[in-house]
Amino acid sequence: MSIDYSKLSDFEINSAVHNALMKEPYKIEFLGNDRIRCVRGSTNVTTGKVEYSKKSLKDYCNNPADAWQIIVGNKISIVSLDNKWIAAPVDTVIDGITGDSEVCFYASYDAVSDVNPLRAAMVVFLMMQEEK
């Protein structure tokens, strides 16, 4: 079942990206006030907890230095549209038409559009992780 990433905050997406990059992923529990708890193993919270705050996580959605290695390493394409950006995995078909004042792009279902190109790319990365 796919997650609707458009409903998640940047902090929640950053947390999910952080978790996906870990060698042994944790179960993420959102505690509110921009804090998460990552629980190793089962849903039993006594097995080992690590708490992160907004300040301690990388900001993949807003900092190119944090996101760029993920974008390049996973061959995620980012294409500019007038007021939005499309991010797509390497095997996505993107068809474009440009004119004097209009740009139209058509992309398959696995492309993501957002006003923030890094956020769109991180959502694509998370969708790629779901497919694994």
Side-chain angles (χ1 to χ4, degrees):
M1 184 173 144
S2 184
I3 297 171
D4 183 358
Y5 294 102
S6 67
K7 295 182 180 180
L8 298 181
S9 68
D10 284 359
F11 175 70
E12 291 169 320
I13 291 173
N14 289 335
S15 301
V17 169
H18 172 78
N19 194 43
L21 294 172
M22 297 179 73
K23 291 181 182 176
E24 185 179 340
Y26 287 71
K27 178 183 177 286
I28 297 176
E29 298 174 349
F30 293 99
L31 305 174
N33 296 328
D34 289 329
R35 292 191 61 76
I36 61 167
R37 176 173 36 230
C38 295
V39 182
R40 188 182 302 276
S42 70
T43 57
N44 181 350
V45 295
T46 62
T47 59
K49 301 178 242 182
V50 180
E51 288 194 19
Y52 294 96
S53 69
K54 195 174 196 175
K55 292 179 182 177
S56 65
L57 286 175
K58 290 186 176 183
D59 191 359
Y60 302 104
C61 288
N62 296 293
N63 186 348
D66 294 338
W68 191 246
Q69 186 174 357
I70 295 168
I71 293 167
V72 172
N74 290 279
K75 298 182 179 177
I76 297 171
S77 298
I78 303 173
V79 180
S80 172
L81 293 172
D82 294 323
N83 295 326
K84 286 195 174 191
W85 296 81
I86 291 179
V90 68
D91 57 351
T92 299
V93 175
I94 300 176
D95 188 17
I97 302 169
T98 59
D100 291 338
S101 63
E102 292 185 17
V103 177
C104 297
F105 280 97
Y106 304 94
S108 59
Y109 69 94
D110 48 357
V112 174
S113 67
D114 197 280
V115 296
N116 178 342
L118 297 179
R119 178 183 167 95
M122 293 306 102
V123 169
V124 167
F125 171 72
L126 291 173
M127 290 168 58
M128 292 168 69
Q129 302 311 300
E130 284 181 5
E131 291 177 6
K132 292 181 181 178

